[in-house]
Amino acid sequence: MYLTNEQEAMLNGEDGPVLERMFRLLVRLGDIYGAERMIPVGSVQVAGVSFKSIGLPGTDFLEDIASKGEKVKVLTYLNPAGMDIEDWKELGFPEEFAQNQMRIMDAFREMGIVVTSTCTPYLAGNLPRFREHIAWSESSAVSFSNSVIGARTNREGGPSALAAALCGVTPDYGLHRDENRAPTVVIDLEAELKSNANFGALGYHVGKLVKNKIPYFRGMENANTDQLKALGAAMAASGAVALYYVEDLTPEANQQDISGLETFSVTDSEIKETYATLRTGEEPDIVFLGCPHASLREIADVAAQVEGKTLRKPVWIATSRVMKEAAIRMGFDKTIEAAGGRIVADTCMVVSPLEQMGYGTTAVNSGKAANYLPGFCKQKVVFADIADLVMEVE
Ligand code: F3S
């Protein structure tokens, strides 16, 4: 692989042992995938933030790196943590878990990483531009940035993203390169999609169908960014879709050659069947919305639906701290809390220790959350539209 003088120096340990170790990791990765050079990245998003995911070994590793004083070279955000960093106590997160989670946040802060924990960094101050190279980890954010923004990233692991943040570069392979970004399968949408959950169900179905291919959708008109993030998140969870195109809607879609590609159609009946597949429970203990993290529009919609009502089950909405602050300014938090719900920042249903907190059945409107909750959190799942989940008693 061609390396600049500066990069050779990093590799030879001239910039210290942390950068040597991190740069070696990037070179190894590049060698495996046949990269010919490193490319500078505009921003990084690091996954592996929740104490639930990385445990004590991961926490010790991060503290060790942080103690060496090395700082990130580019704007770097974090994926959701295991709890709301401010309101964890009143929300019922375990004390010991919280202490360990704070150790992780402190270590990241030491490295100069913005401790805004969210899977929607593009809504919270970390917005890549069209064709910008970035190194992001979270699969739904990877999908959104590749597909809806037209930026370029592979799905990084936690360590490779951290290495990219500290070194400022990533190996040039995979979705960074034009030749790997062509669609490989066409999806003709014949279903009528109304709710965000409909898009999540579509994503879950298509992800299972196409696995790691690059789908090109036809027949999807006017999907908004919330719906596209729900679609991409679910496709990345049930398959390994990191890039998709929507005709007339997403960047570079109309320049793609789709002639001769294998084609599938999706009708209302597949969407309906997916709802049934994703439903493994009956009576939820909690309704947990905001996967991927809710936008202000989604929070406003929930506030409008619960205003003046009393919720039968607690409804939590996961979002970024930035979005929660905006919601507070608009008074949405008060409306939602008066009905018995909460806006929860920094975390989500999958990376929080729900099973330790006494929850056994969780209701969601997200195809991605429905995919992961049984395995990651031992939850039964009720998958439905928000309107059906936000149940009133009077
Ligand atoms: Fe985000 Fe958690 Fe869903 S990280 S995409 S809210 S599983």
Side-chain angles (χ1 to χ4, degrees), residues 59 77 90 378:
T59 309
Y77 269 41
E90 45 172 309
K378 300 184 181 62

Side-chain angles (χ1 to χ4, degrees), residues 60-112:
D60 292 342
F61 167 79
L62 291 172
E63 283 181 337
D64 181 50
I65 303 240
S67 71
K68 308 274 180 4
E70 222 50 75
K71 304 279 184 221
V72 294
K73 292 198 171 54
V74 293
L75 178 68
T76 303
Y77 269 41
L78 293 177
N79 216 30
M83 63 184 196
D84 187 309
I85 299 302
E86 290 179 15
D87 296 342
W88 59 269
K89 208 170 224 158
E90 45 172 309
L91 290 166
F93 285 85
E95 179 97 35
E96 194 184 333
F97 183 92
Q99 280 167 4
N100 285 317
Q101 185 63 63
M102 292 315 290
R103 284 176 56 197
I104 295 169
M105 304 315 276
D106 289 343
F108 280 129
R109 192 184 293 106
E110 277 288 309
M111 293 181 226

